[in-house]
Amino acid sequence: MVARVRTYYGNPKETKPLAFLGYKAGMSHAQVRDNNPNSLSKSQTISIPVTIIECPPIKPFSIRFYKKSNSLGLQLTSEIYSEKLDKQFKNKKSGNVPESFDDVRLVIYTDPRKTGLSRKNPDVFEMSMSGKDAKEKLTKGQELLKKDLIHISEIFNEGQLLDVHAVSTGKGFQGTTKR
């Protein structure tokens, strides 16, 4: 299970993927100065909780081509798989680049064995890419498909603000005391 991202925000001047997968490694706290002028603790040092996310390199899986339909929205028309897939994905048959397409998306997967977690199965995730048009996205997607690994530094800059989507562990119908 991966989080569902409904909207991506990207810079159309730069062609690159707009998402990355990571795993929660733990929690900590940070001592920061409160710079909110309307806060009761303005100009004071406060402690805030922070989540530590481990982001191992991701691997390209495939490029998917979509065509817009009036009644159904985006429809998957073709998919091209990477030649450097791990052994659990080797039985995939690759398609061709269609003559016309409206959107291109990149499918990636993780290698959780490279983290300190006990997970073994990879997460497969489809992400959108920013760019001016679909042909430019296709060029960047083909370039990424030839790579072995994609690092987080290739997608995001240091200090950049991000939206985080997560899937939490279900606890069922429990009372407030246990939560």
Side-chain angles (χ1 to χ4, degrees):
M1 280 188 349
V2 293
R4 180 178 173 190
V5 181
R6 293 188 175 110
T7 306
Y8 290 95
Y9 298 103
N11 185 1
K13 296 176 184 172
E14 186 177 19
T15 305
K16 66 179 186 177
L18 295 175
F20 205 85
L21 274 176
Y23 299 101
K24 181 178 178 179
M27 295 284 294
S28 185
H29 67 280
Q31 301 286 330
V32 297
R33 185 169 302 276
D34 190 2
N35 59 3
N36 184 356
N38 299 326
S39 175
L40 293 174
S41 60
K42 63 183 174 192
S43 302
Q44 295 178 359
T45 302
I46 59 172
S47 178
I48 60 170
V50 294
T51 302
I52 300 167
I53 299 174
E54 187 172 358
C55 297
I58 55 177
K59 298 179 178 184
F61 182 78
S62 69
I63 301 172
R64 290 185 178 168
F65 299 93
Y66 289 92
K67 185 82 174 153
K68 287 184 183 173
S69 171
N70 291 338
S71 59
L72 301 173
L74 287 176
Q75 293 292 311
L76 179 65
T77 58
S78 182
E79 188 168 9
I80 298 175
Y81 294 97
S82 174
E83 297 172 358
K84 301 176 183 180
L85 291 176
D86 287 347
K87 63 182 177 181
Q88 69 248 31
F89 299 119
K90 281 294 183 185
N91 60 354
K92 300 292 183 182
K93 301 288 186 219
S94 193
N96 297 324
V97 177
E99 297 84 34
S100 66
F101 51 91
D102 295 320
D103 195 17
V104 176
R105 295 189 182 173
L106 182 67
V107 180
I108 53 99
Y109 66 99
T110 60
D111 191 1
R113 289 171 284 177
K114 293 186 178 183
T115 65
L117 304 172
S118 61
R119 296 185 58 138
K120 294 179 183 172
N121 295 331
D123 291 316
V124 181
F125 181 69
E126 179 182 279
M127 70 174 99
S128 186
M129 296 192 335
S130 65
K132 295 177 187 172
D133 59 352
K135 299 289 184 190
E136 190 175 294
K137 291 180 185 181
L138 173 61
T139 306
K140 183 65 174 182
Q142 288 174 331
E143 175 185 318
L144 290 172
L145 210 57
K146 293 176 185 173
K147 295 179 84 172
D148 287 331
L149 298 172
I150 303 170
H151 297 276
I152 193 165
S153 59
E154 298 173 29
I155 298 176
F156 299 116
N157 300 325
E158 187 174 331
Q160 182 177 352
L161 296 177
L162 306 171
D163 285 339
V164 176
H165 299 263
V167 176
S168 63
T169 306
K171 303 290 185 190
F173 294 102
Q174 296 180 354
T176 55
T177 306
K178 182 151 184 185
R179 277 190 246 144

